[in-house]
């Protein structure tokens, strides 16, 4: 993690997993996200532009969250990033569903994990500010 000492000093909300839990979970989720994109690319849907845009936006927001939370220690801003991320994953899900049921279902664990991350981030915000 970026600043393990800072993170360890935070009061944690209920159901917070140990630090060692995050890397394996994200490894699996990124693999599923990649597979979902492959299924979307290979689908027969003609116009995929909107799906690609939503996918890239959600991926950028995903990559932005960790530096905001761990690097800059901006818990409120990280929560806002997660709100936007949740919205763009939802939009990606809607577009992927139009093209491929498999792509849609491969993204569901990611969406659920980000909802859990939203809960955790809100908990950190509430308990530490």
């Amino acid at each position: 993690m970026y600043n393990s000492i800072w993170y360890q000093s935070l009061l944690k909300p209920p159901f917070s997993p140990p630090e060692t839990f995050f890397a394996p979970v994200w490894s699996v989720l990124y693999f599923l996200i990649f597979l979902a994109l492959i299924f979307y690319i290979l689908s027969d849907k003609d116009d995929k532009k909107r799906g690609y845009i939503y996918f890239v936006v959600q991926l950028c927001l995903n990559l932005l969250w960790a530096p905001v939370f761990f690097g800059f220690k901006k818990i409120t801003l990280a929560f806002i990033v997660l709100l936007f991320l949740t919205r763009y994953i939802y939009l990606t899900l809607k577009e992927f569903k139009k093209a491929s049921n498999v792509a849609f279902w491969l993204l569901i664990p990611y969406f659920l994990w980000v909802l859990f991350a939203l809960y955790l981030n809100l908990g950190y915000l509430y308990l530490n500010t």
Side-chain angles (χ1 to χ4, degrees), residues 21-36:
F21 192 73
F22 292 98
V25 168
W26 276 109
S27 296
V28 170
L29 291 175
Y30 280 125
F31 178 71
L32 295 175
I33 292 165
F34 171 74
L35 283 179

Side-chain angles (χ1 to χ4, degrees), residues 3 7 16 20-21 24-25 40 50 56 59 69 80 83 87-89 95 99 102 105 111 116 118 122 124:
N3 189 333
Y7 177 73
S16 293
T20 56
F21 192 73
V25 168
Y40 185 72
R50 185 177 297 165
V56 169
L59 189 60
F69 187 87
I80 293 167
L83 287 173
R87 175 71 177 151
Y88 275 92
I89 294 171
E95 287 301 312
V102 175
W105 285 107
F111 185 63
F116 180 60
L118 194 63
L122 182 61
Y124 291 126

Side-chain angles (χ1 to χ4, degrees), residues 36-98:
L37 179 61
I38 296 300
F39 275 95
Y40 185 72
I41 290 168
L42 296 176
S43 73
D44 293 334
K45 188 174 190 290
D46 290 331
D47 183 16
K48 297 178 188 168
K49 182 179 177 182
R50 185 177 297 165
Y52 290 136
I53 291 169
Y54 293 155
F55 184 86
V56 169
V57 170
Q58 68 79 25
L59 189 60
C60 290
L61 290 165
N62 178 316
L63 297 173
L64 178 64
W65 181 85
V68 171
F69 187 87
F70 293 107
F72 297 114
K73 302 178 186 98
K74 300 292 186 186
I75 300 173
T76 302
L77 183 57
F79 180 75
I80 293 167
V81 169
L82 277 178
L83 287 173
F84 280 100
L85 175 57
T86 302
R87 175 71 177 151
Y88 275 92
I89 294 171
Y90 173 76
L91 293 171
T92 303
L93 279 166
K94 282 180 57 175
E95 287 301 312
F96 277 35
K97 175 80 170 149
K98 294 174 187 176

Side-chain angles (χ1 to χ4, degrees), residues 109-127:
Y110 172 46
F111 185 63
L112 295 174
W113 181 257
V114 170
L115 289 175
F116 180 60
L118 194 63
Y119 153 76
L120 290 175
N121 199 140
L122 182 61
Y124 291 126
L125 182 60
Y126 176 76
L127 294 170

